Amino acid sequence: MSDEVEIPEVDYVAGSGVPIRGNDIDTDQIIPARFMKVVTFDGLGEFAFFDLRFDDDDNQKDHPMNEERFQDSSVMVVNSNFGCGSSREHAPQALMRWGIDAIIGESFAEIFAGNCLALGIPTVTADSETIEELQDWVDANPDGEIEIDVEAEEVTYGDTTIDVTVDEAQRKALVEGVWDTTALMKSNADAVREKAKELPYVEDEAIPEAE
């Protein structure tokens, strides 16, 4: 891998939490479709959970992400089947730009988890009772730190350490720093060009020159 492209290893994440309660929270709730008409993902963070956070007159509703005590949170604690629905990559992009570095939940939609991995955001799982206890602790300790050891598959908060599950392929990609496939291809651009030249169905003019 070239020195010009460095993909950080994500084997440990720590920060205060924000509890988002409810099962089957889909990607349209995470980022409503009308906010997806953007050229880049910049600025999406302010629209995360917009329709759950604001009414039609843009007045704030009762939602954890509107509460002052959770504004610096970076670890989201959710329930089951989080990120279901359409496969829009804008959903984890919005959460990341709001400030989320990791998500702990009962379960995640597969495509959503994959889109999180592409951003270096771990999605780790535990059983419903464990998650509810963690959500209650976050509610009572909004400034309390949650530590996620991706490699060891452990989460520590307060005086409690719990076992969590990280999908093996995700854990390997994060810990070894190979989760950003675009950066990997860029760092191995010469090898990609050479392989393209060997493929009979790729025309020479379609292969970009080396920079």
Side-chain angles (χ1 to χ4, degrees):
M1 187 180 297
S2 98
D3 293 333
E4 296 179 7
V5 180
E6 182 177 344
I7 306 171
E9 299 171 356
V10 184
D11 52 11
Y12 173 87
V13 179
S16 59
V18 55
I20 303 296
R21 301 178 189 272
N23 298 326
D24 305 315
I25 293 177
D26 61 33
T27 53
D28 189 55
Q29 295 177 66
I30 297 172
I31 182 68
R34 66 185 182 280
F35 298 119
M36 295 168 57
K37 301 173 184 178
V38 292
V39 177
T40 70
F41 296 119
D42 296 339
L44 275 184
E46 64 181 294
F47 303 119
F49 287 101
F50 193 88
D51 291 343
L52 298 180
R53 295 169 57 202
F54 301 95
D55 63 22
D56 292 340
D57 297 319
D58 289 342
N59 297 311
Q60 287 192 356
K61 297 181 183 179
D62 182 16
H63 191 277
M65 290 172 68
N66 285 337
E67 296 183 37
E68 183 64 32
R69 62 192 182 129
F70 294 128
Q71 292 309 299
D72 294 325
S73 300
S74 59
V75 178
M76 185 168 281
V77 188
V78 302
N79 296 109
S80 69
N81 199 28
F82 188 79
C84 58
S86 65
S87 60
R88 63 188 67 171
E89 60 182 321
H90 296 69
Q93 288 278 357
L95 296 181
M96 181 180 73
R97 282 164 170 74
W98 190 84
I100 298 303
D101 296 327
I103 312 176
I104 306 171
E106 294 176 45
S107 61
F108 298 91
E110 184 176 354
I111 294 176
F112 175 83
N115 287 336
C116 284
L117 175 61
L119 299 175
I121 299 175
T123 50
V124 309
T125 60
D127 62 74
S128 59
E129 182 179 353
T130 298
I131 292 299
E132 288 173 11
E133 289 175 355
L134 177 54
Q135 288 175 327
D136 290 343
W137 182 87
V138 170
D139 255 331
N141 301 272
D143 296 323
E145 185 168 77
I146 302 172
E147 300 176 82
I148 303 170
D149 188 326
V150 176
E151 185 169 17
E153 296 183 282
E154 291 182 343
V155 168
T156 301
Y157 63 96
D159 298 324
T160 302
T161 297
I162 58 175
D163 291 327
V164 296
T165 300
V166 185
D167 175 81
E168 181 57 26
Q170 179 187 123
R171 189 182 70 84
K172 181 180 176 66
L174 290 169
V175 170
E176 295 183 3
V178 294
W179 50 268
D180 189 335
T181 54
T182 301
L184 277 175
M185 291 183 66
K186 184 176 180 181
S187 68
N188 292 281
D190 290 342
V192 172
R193 273 189 293 272
E194 289 305 312
K195 175 56 68 176
K197 291 176 182 177
E198 298 174 7
L199 300 175
Y201 50 82
V202 177
E203 298 180 358
D204 290 344
E205 55 267 28
I207 303 173
E209 296 295 329
E211 295 182 359

